């Protein structure tokens, strides 16, 4: 722990020392490659890029040539060190800038960076301090261009970045889905003044208007009216005030509503209107509230006029004036709704405070990339992976991000301390190995919502799933430790994982919107991120290996048994086998408990557990009628679990499709999650099956059976963030059938996904609470075959 007793560039000092927790903030400084900083009037946002060394589970096929393979494992598993890129963004008050820069300087090791990009109004003021502390040259960037670049970046890379604020609703935040084309949009940046910018593309934007009445006006007039000098204190005063005691309303003038003009009685007719005639003192709270309303309404009306003038429906608000303050967001939202009659929504951003720092960082990264490409630097591009972040897709790291803080006016994140430890707001983003795009087969990608249930809107479901994940923690910790029996620190790291993930669950219980819409998918992904944080990259690797080995021994027997059936019985047997295979899911507690206590639980037993027809959702008859017609051109099959699921469930159906003349694309996870089969594992399994089966061998040889990575490392599936190579293949092969298998991919996500081609969504519901919610019982079957509307 690093303790400092003196803080602030302006000679401020604290009564007690402030401690910076190195495990929580300014992480990976020893590997930092480049920096950027955005210094506003009260807050500093520091951005830096680092390389992170973490463990990954790798599988490698044994050479079985000429050997007896019955008792040998199918492949070997190794845990290797890998280096990936991470972006860090940290927000803190300007008063603590010296403390933070000292900490960075003390922990910075041999950085190759010689320049720090700087933006914001305070960049010039703190230039000498930055150069002195960090020994880096300050290179100032235009504030507005940085804001636009940062805004584009978060809108493209962070799902549920934008939200609508609805006062008194549950939840207050309504998150928007990521649109594949974010342009054009209007950005209303509210700093000291207001800038209104029309953004048409990555590099084309124009300031089309503005106002001198902005955040500085609120701060300045507020200080004169209330004698309160701090901006956040003014906001707190406003949150406790009643503007009606100061403002003149329509009903104060007319005794009620002005119906002929469509004006309600409680509409503000004149801001501060009562102060001219009332012979009384007004409270600081009421004056601050009136002032906030006056400025927010003015900005809202101005935004509406420019949105209408330029025919823009997407209007984002940012800048230090917003600060996640509920009264500010509500007033702007009300103004936008009133003046556009609901045609335009006021959109706010979860990370609007970081836009300038992100933009400045990106500018520096682009310059570095150009220098490298032109050969002007001695080091190779390889030494700085991901030189230009815009060339990659990025994802928020839930394990390292603090998330959207509570909007309660008494809980501003910058004002909280814990036992002398300064609290920071943080965002971390990891570079993804593959560029992610929309599935081209989505009917309308702009309205696609991956998740079936939004837990922020369903309190009962939220409490159930939060409790469910908390109760499962002991089992996850046990599995993590068991996966690394030779590592002495495994138990210690597993306990750290437990504490981290439990803290995340507690945060989400009190702040469900911390990371956007709360869903089963986000809870699963957060758990995976936390496991990776403590170097448990694939806790189920050995279980998967064992189950894959076992299932391969029965593959030919299963194939022979279905081949003996007539055509119609064979189709049903294949579907029933696929459903039975999907029972083997270590992510479902009801099943994992059985597998823990009865490892011999087999394929035939799983078939007996299945619900008899008619199923809970049953389109099987419609599917059979379709199969009597011409074969599909190409089927895209999103697979689920390892072992019996993929080998005895999926591959026999794949055989049948190939025999019908249908090409098959098998899409599996790029990285591990629970016992889901990964791309590398699937390659080895397919190779072994092809050695046993001529149909699979022919499919591989003639490229009629193709394996691809989905780009995902989640038990669920977001069809708006898939590997670009998969999307290209889908187009090239003229895919006309999508099969989505499993509870995570077809129930928790994509149950309502609408595609422009035929789709088959099937799963066994292995959670009794969810089954009852859907009107069934545990092990109920969903078989949902859909055809596109003509």
């Amino acid at each position: 722990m690093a303790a400092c007793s003196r803080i602030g560039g302006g000679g401020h000092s604290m009564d007690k020392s402030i401690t910076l927790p190195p495990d929580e903030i300014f992480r990976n400084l020893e590997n930092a490659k480049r920096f950027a900083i955005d210094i506003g009037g009260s807050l500093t946002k520091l951005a830096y890029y680092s390389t992170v060394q973490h463990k990954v589970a790798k599988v490698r096929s044994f050479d079985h040539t000429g050997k007896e393979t019955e008792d040998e494992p199918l492949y070997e598993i190794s845990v290797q060190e890998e280096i990936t890129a991470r972006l860090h963004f940290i927000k803190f008050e300007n008063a603590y800038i010296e403390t933070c820069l000292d900490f960075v300087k003390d922990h910075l090791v041999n950085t190759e960076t010689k320049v720090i990009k700087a933006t914001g109004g305070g960049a010039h003021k703190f230039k000498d301090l930055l150069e002195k502390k960090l020994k880096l040259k300050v290179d100032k960037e235009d504030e507005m261009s940085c804001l636009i670049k940062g805004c584009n970046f978060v809108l493209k890379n962070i799902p549920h970045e934008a939200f609508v604020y609805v006062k008194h609703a549950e939840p207050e935040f309504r998150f928007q889905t990521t649109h594949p084309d974010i342009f054009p949009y209007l950005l209303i940046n509210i700093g000291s003044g207001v800038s209104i910018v029309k953004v048409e593309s990555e590099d084309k934007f124009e300031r089309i208007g503005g106002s001198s009445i902005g955040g500085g006006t609120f701060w300045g007039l507020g200080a004169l009216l209330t004698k309160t000098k701090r901006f956040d204190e003014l906001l707190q005063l406003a949150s406790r005030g009643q503007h009606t005691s100061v403002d003149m309303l329509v009903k104060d003038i007319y005794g009620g509503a002005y119906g002929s003009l469509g004006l309600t009685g409680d509409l503000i007719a004149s801001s501060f209107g009562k102060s001219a005639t009332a012979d009384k003192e007004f409270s600081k709270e009421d004056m601050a509230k009136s002032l906030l309303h006056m400025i927010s309404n003015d900005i809202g009306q101005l935004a509406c006029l420019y949105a209408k003038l330029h025919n823009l429906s997407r209007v984002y608000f940012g800048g230090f004036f917003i600060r996640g303050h509920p009264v500010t967001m509500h007033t702007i939202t009300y103004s936008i709704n009133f003046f556009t009659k609901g045609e335009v929504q006021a959109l706010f951003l979860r990370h609007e405070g970081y836009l300038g720092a992100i933009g400045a960082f990106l500018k520096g990264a682009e310059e570095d990339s150009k220098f490298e490409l032109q050969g002007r630097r001695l080091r190779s591009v390889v030494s700085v992976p991901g030189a230009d972040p815009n060339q990659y897709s990025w994802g928020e790291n839930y394990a390292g991000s603090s998330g959207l803080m509570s909007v309660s006016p008494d809980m501003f994140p910058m004002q909280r301390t814990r036992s002398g430890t300064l609290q920071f707001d943080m965002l971390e983003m990891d570079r993804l190995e593959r560029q992610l795009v929309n599935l081209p087969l989505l009917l309308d990608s702009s309205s696609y919502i991956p998740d079936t249930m939004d837990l922020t809107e369903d309190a009962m479901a939220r409490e159930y799933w939060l409790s469910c994940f908390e109760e499962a923690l002991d089992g996850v910790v046990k599995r993590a430790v068991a996966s690394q029996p030779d590592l002495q620190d495994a138990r210690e790291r597993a306990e750290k994982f437990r504490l981290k993930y439990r803290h995340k669950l507690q945060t989400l219980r009190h702040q469900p919107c911390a990371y956007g819409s709360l869903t089963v998918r986000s809870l699963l992904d957060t758990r995976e991120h936390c496991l990776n944080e403590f170097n448990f990259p694939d806790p189920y690797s050995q279980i998967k290996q064992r189950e894959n080995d076992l299932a391969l021994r029965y593959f030919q027997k299963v194939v022979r048994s279905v081949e003996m059936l007539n055509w119609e019985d064979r189709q049903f047997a294949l579907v029933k086998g696929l459903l039975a295979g999907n029972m083997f899911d270590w992510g479902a507690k009801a099943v994992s408990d059985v597998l823990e206590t009865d490892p011999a639980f087999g394929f035939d037993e799983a078939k007996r557990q299945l619900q008899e027809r008619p199923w809970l959702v049953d389109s099987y008859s419609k599917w059979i009628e379709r199969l009597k017609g011409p074969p599909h051109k190409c089927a895209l099959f999103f697979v689920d679990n390892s072992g019996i699921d993929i080998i005895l469930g999926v591959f026999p159906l794949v055989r049948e499709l190939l025999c019908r003349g249908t090409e098959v694309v098998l899409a599996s996870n790029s990285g591990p999650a629970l016992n889901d089969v990964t791309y590398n594992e699937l390659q080895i399994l397919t190779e072994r099956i092809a050695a046993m089966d001529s149909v699979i061998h022919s499919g591989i040889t003639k490229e009629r059976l193709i394996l691809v990575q989905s780009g995902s490392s989640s038990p669920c599936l977001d069809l708006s963030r898939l590997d670009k190579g998969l999307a290209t293949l889908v187009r090239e092969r003229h895919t006309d059938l999508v099969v989505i298998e499993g509870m995570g991919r077809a129930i928790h996500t994509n149950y309502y996904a609408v595609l422009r081609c035929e789709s088959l969504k099937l799963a066994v519901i292995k959670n009794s609470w969810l089954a009852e919610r859907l009107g069934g019982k545990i092990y109920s079957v969903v078989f949902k075959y859909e055809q596109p509307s003509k």
Side-chain angles (χ1 to χ4, degrees), residues 217-284:
T217 313
F218 174 69
W219 199 349
L221 283 178
L224 291 173
L225 290 168
T226 68
K227 309 303 179 187
T228 300
K229 295 296 185 182
R230 290 176 61 85
F231 188 85
D232 283 339
E233 288 177 11
L234 270 174
L235 288 176
Q236 289 188 56
L237 287 174
S239 69
R240 298 194 295 268
Q242 294 292 330
H243 76 98
T244 54
S245 65
V246 182
D247 293 339
M248 186 176 290
L249 309 181
V250 168
K251 65 184 178 184
D252 294 324
I253 301 175
Y254 299 105
Y258 199 140
S260 62
L261 292 181
L263 302 178
T264 60
D266 58 358
L267 193 69
I268 298 173
S270 174
S271 296
F272 286 91
K274 289 180 181 176
S275 63
T277 56
D279 187 18
K280 67 173 185 178
E281 292 290 325
F282 296 97
S283 72
K284 293 180 179 181

Side-chain angles (χ1 to χ4, degrees), residues 88-350:
H88 306 258
F89 306 100
I90 302 158
K91 187 193 302 179
F92 51 88
E93 286 190 71
N94 288 354
Y96 307 132
I97 192 168
E98 279 204 44
T99 301
C100 295
L101 291 179
D102 280 337
F103 187 89
V104 172
K105 178 190 68 175
D106 292 343
H107 292 78
L108 199 59
V109 180
N110 299 324
T111 180
E112 298 168 347
T113 299
K114 303 301 178 186
V115 174
I116 181 170
K117 289 287 184 180
T119 190
H124 178 75
K125 176 182 177 182
F126 289 97
K127 178 177 182 293
D128 292 341
L129 178 66
L130 289 169
E131 293 184 336
K132 175 185 174 184
K133 291 286 186 183
L134 299 182
K135 301 294 189 290
L136 301 175
K137 179 187 175 185
V138 172
D139 187 4
K140 197 171 184 305
E141 288 288 344
D142 175 69
E143 186 174 4
M144 191 54 62
S145 62
C146 289
L147 282 169
I148 301 300
K149 192 170 282 292
C151 190
N152 293 342
F153 186 79
V154 297
L155 287 175
K156 287 189 300 182
N157 288 285
I158 304 182
H160 295 168
E161 172 63 28
F163 63 89
V164 173
Y165 181 76
V166 186
K167 187 180 181 182
H168 301 313
E170 181 60 39
E172 298 166 289
F173 305 92
R174 301 288 170 84
F175 291 94
Q176 308 294 294
T177 55
T178 303
H179 196 281
D181 183 8
I182 64 174
F183 307 108
Y185 66 84
L186 204 62
L187 178 63
I188 315 295
N189 188 61
I190 314 171
S192 298
V194 179
S195 288
I196 300 175
V197 185
K198 179 182 179 182
V199 185
E200 297 183 73
S201 69
E202 286 289 349
D203 302 310
K204 186 179 180 182
F205 62 89
E206 177 188 4
R207 186 182 188 276
I208 56 176
S211 172
S212 61
I213 301 173
T217 313
F218 174 69
W219 199 349
L221 283 178
L224 291 173
L225 290 168
T226 68
K227 309 303 179 187
T228 300
K229 295 296 185 182
R230 290 176 61 85
F231 188 85
D232 283 339
E233 288 177 11
L234 270 174
L235 288 176
Q236 289 188 56
L237 287 174
S239 69
R240 298 194 295 268
Q242 294 292 330
H243 76 98
T244 54
S245 65
V246 182
D247 293 339
M248 186 176 290
L249 309 181
V250 168
K251 65 184 178 184
D252 294 324
I253 301 175
Y254 299 105
Y258 199 140
S260 62
L261 292 181
L263 302 178
T264 60
D266 58 358
L267 193 69
I268 298 173
S270 174
S271 296
F272 286 91
K274 289 180 181 176
S275 63
T277 56
D279 187 18
K280 67 173 185 178
E281 292 290 325
F282 296 97
S283 72
K284 293 180 179 181
E285 289 82 359
D286 293 348
M287 289 189 292
K289 184 67 165 283
S290 176
L291 183 61
L292 185 61
H293 271 286
M294 182 182 78
I295 292 171
S296 297
N297 276 321
D298 183 65
I299 293 170
Q301 184 174 19
L302 201 60
C304 290
L305 292 172
Y306 278 100
K308 284 188 172 183
L309 182 64
H310 293 270
N311 195 29
L312 295 171
S313 59
R314 278 176 283 184
V315 182
Y316 298 102
F317 289 84
F320 90 92
F321 180 67
I322 304 292
R323 299 287 279 278
H325 191 265
V327 177
T328 308
M329 293 190 295
H330 171 66
T331 309
I332 288 175
T333 299
Y334 180 87
S335 178
I336 290 281
N337 288 338
F338 179 83
F339 289 112
T340 69
K341 295 181 171 58
E343 293 178 2
V344 175
Q345 286 187 318
L347 295 167
F348 304 95
L349 301 172
R350 278 205 293 139

